[in-house]
Amino acid sequence: MGGGKSKEIKRTSKVDLTKYNARVDRVNIKGLERTYSDYVSRAVNNLFLAKTFADVLLETNNALSELHELRVFKNVRAHIDVSKGEKATQNGYEVTFEGLELTRITGGIGAELGQNDGSGTAELTTPNIFGRGESLSLKASYSYIKTSELNFKFSKPFFHTILGDYKPETSFTIVKHSSIAPWSKYRLDDFGLLFDFSFLLPFGSHSLQYELGVQELSALDKQTPFFIREHCGPRLASTLRHLYAFDTRDSTVFPTNGFYVKTTTELIGSAISRLGLLKNETHGELNLPLFAGMSVQLCGRLGVLLTDKRKESVPIHRHLFPGGPQTLRGFEVAGVGPHREGVALGCESYWVSGLHLWSPLPFNRYFGGFGNLFRTHFFYNFGSANAFTADHLRSTAGIGLAIRLGERARIEFNYCHPILHQKGDRLVKGFQFGIGFDFV
C-alpha cells in the first residue's frame, strides 16, 4: 500500500525441549542448618532420572513442591546451570536449591471457618525440632457460638523413609474442647488424648485415629428438659476412628468437573473393652461441566448409627442431626427429625441428596477476577431421617448466591421453598444463610 511503512511480523515457535538430551550430574541444597540432609534428599532423587531437558525442568518443579511439603523451609528457589568440573558429563547439568529455614518459633493469629461457624485462632509452633520435620504446637480457638478448643500437639513425619511416597505422619495431641448444641439444650466438654496416623494412597488419603478421654454433658440453661439432663455427667469415652477422602475436583469451592468423597467411621465405647457403637457419615459429590461456565452438581450424604440395644442408651451428643444449609436447605440446623418439648432428639440414620445447576454471574467477564468470587445456583434438596426409603420424605427447592472465601469455604445466601416436610420438622421459609466447606 502506498505511503505506508511495512511492518515485519516475526513468527515464533515453541522449542521442543524433549529433543535435547540432558542429565543431572549433581544436586546441591543450600541453607540447611538444623535440618539433616537425609530428610531432604528423597525430595530431589528423581532429578537423577531425567533424560531430557524437559525432564530436568519438570523434576525441578516437582522437587520444589516436595521441599515445601517438608515444612522446614520458609521459601526455596532453584537454579539450573551447566555441569562443570572433572566429573561433568556431556549434556550434564547441576541443580542448586537455596532454602531459608523456618525460625525456631513461629506463630500467628487468624480466623477459621467451620460448618456454619467461624472462629478466631492463635497458634504458636516450634517447627523442625530435631531436624527431620518434627513440630510442637499450641493452638487455641474461640468461635462466635461459644465453641472453644485448646490443642497441644506433637507431630512427626516420615517423608524421608522408604515409605515417603505415601506421606506417612504420626501425631499425638492433648485436646480440650467445649461446644454447645442449642437445638438440644446441652453443653459438651471434652478433654482427652488423640493419636493419629495418616498416609496417602493412590486412591485417597487415610487417617487412623484413637481417642481416649473424659466427656461431660451439662444442661445448657434452665430450660433444658429433664430427659436431656438424664444424659448429663462425666463419662470415659474411647473412640477408634477412620477418615478417608478422595478428590479429583478442579476446585474445592466452585468445582465444575470431578468427583469427591469423604467418609468418617467411628467405633465408640465407654472404655477400651466396651466398644458398642458404630457411627458412619459419608459425603459424595459429582460435578459435570455444561457450557458458558455452567455445571451440574449431584451430591449426597448418608449417616448411620448402629447400637447394641441391650446396652445403655446412646448419649444425646452421639445422635445424628440432619437439617440446615449444609445438609437440607429450607430446614433449621438439626431441624429434621423428632422433637420433644422444643428440643431436637436426633436420629439414628438419615440420607440427603442435592441437585444443583451452577452458573457464573451474568456479564461475569466485565468484573475481571472479582467476578470469579461469585456463583449463582438453582437447587433441589431432598432426604429423610430414620428411614432409607422415600417414606417421610422432605424436600426443598430454591435459588441462591454463593461467595467464595479463599480456597476452602464459601458463603451461601439462599431463598428456600420447602415442598415436603413431616410433623415436628423446623422449617425456614424464605432466606437462609450458610457458611462452610461441605454442602449437599
Side-chain angles (χ1 to χ4, degrees), residues 260-266 278-285 299-306 319-323 326-328 347-354 382-389 438-440:
Y260 171 61
V261 62
K262 182 180 74 171
T263 180
T264 301
T265 304
E266 295 179 323
L278 180 64
K279 185 177 182 179
N280 176 273
E281 286 194 90
T282 300
H283 176 94
E285 180 182 309
C299 47
R301 190 173 299 169
L302 173 69
V304 180
L305 183 65
L306 301 177
H319 290 195
L320 300 165
F321 293 92
Q326 279 80 32
T327 54
L328 199 55
C347 57
E348 294 187 355
S349 66
Y350 76 91
W351 64 271
V352 292
S353 298
F382 57 99
S384 184
N386 287 327
F388 292 109
T389 65
D438 282 335
F439 290 81
V440 177

Side-chain angles (χ1 to χ4, degrees), residues 46-263:
N46 286 341
L47 277 165
F48 295 106
L49 303 178
K51 296 181 178 180
T52 66
F53 193 72
D55 293 337
V56 174
L57 293 178
L58 176 62
E59 295 301 336
T60 299
N61 285 329
N62 291 339
L64 283 172
S65 298
E66 292 280 346
L67 289 172
H68 279 292
E69 288 181 4
L70 296 178
R71 301 194 295 271
V72 298
F73 294 108
K74 188 175 183 179
N75 55 63
V76 185
R77 59 181 182 177
H79 177 70
I80 303 174
D81 200 357
V82 176
S83 182
K84 300 176 182 178
E86 296 180 358
K87 296 184 179 181
T89 63
Q90 185 179 8
N91 302 321
Y93 290 88
E94 184 173 313
V95 182
T96 301
F97 296 93
E98 296 184 15
L100 177 63
E101 288 184 336
L102 293 169
T103 58
R104 292 187 180 275
I105 297 179
T106 64
I109 298 175
E112 289 185 352
L113 295 177
Q115 294 291 70
N116 234 33
D117 187 17
S119 60
T121 64
E123 185 172 8
L124 189 65
T125 304
T126 303
N128 200 22
I129 301 174
F130 305 119
R132 291 188 174 91
E134 305 88 351
S135 67
L136 193 65
S137 65
L138 178 64
K139 182 179 179 180
S141 66
Y142 188 83
S143 76
Y144 78 96
I145 61 171
K146 297 182 180 180
T147 295
S148 63
E149 187 168 357
L150 182 66
N151 292 342
F152 187 65
K153 178 180 179 180
F154 174 78
S155 63
K156 165 65 179 174
F158 295 91
F159 301 161
H160 62 296
T161 66
I162 193 172
L163 300 176
D165 292 340
Y166 302 104
K167 300 293 187 289
E169 184 173 1
T170 61
S171 65
F172 179 79
T173 310
I174 301 175
V175 180
K176 186 179 185 302
H177 181 262
S178 298
S179 62
I180 63 172
W183 49 84
S184 294
K185 297 289 185 178
Y186 70 81
R187 172 188 175 91
L188 175 64
D189 294 290
D190 193 350
F191 178 78
L193 307 176
L194 174 66
F195 175 79
D196 179 275
F197 174 62
S198 61
F199 54 94
L200 181 66
L201 293 178
F203 295 100
S205 62
H206 297 259
S207 179
L208 300 175
Q209 298 180 351
Y210 176 68
E211 185 175 358
L212 180 65
V214 176
Q215 295 182 337
E216 182 174 5
L217 266 72
S218 57
L220 183 61
D221 52 39
K222 294 181 180 180
Q223 284 72 41
T224 302
F226 177 75
F227 63 87
I228 296 294
R229 295 176 184 269
E230 288 182 326
H231 295 272
C232 294
R235 67 184 69 202
L236 182 66
S238 177
T239 304
L240 290 172
R241 185 181 298 113
H242 173 248
L243 295 90
Y244 169 77
F246 180 67
D247 195 351
T248 65
R249 297 174 297 176
D250 54 1
S251 171
T252 57
V253 183
F254 292 140
T256 58
N257 193 14
F259 175 75
Y260 171 61
V261 62
K262 182 180 74 171
T263 180

Side-chain angles (χ1 to χ4, degrees), residues 372-390:
N372 295 328
L373 300 177
F374 300 87
R375 288 289 190 280
T376 59
H377 71 137
F378 296 91
F379 63 86
Y380 177 68
N381 283 134
F382 57 99
S384 184
N386 287 327
F388 292 109
T389 65

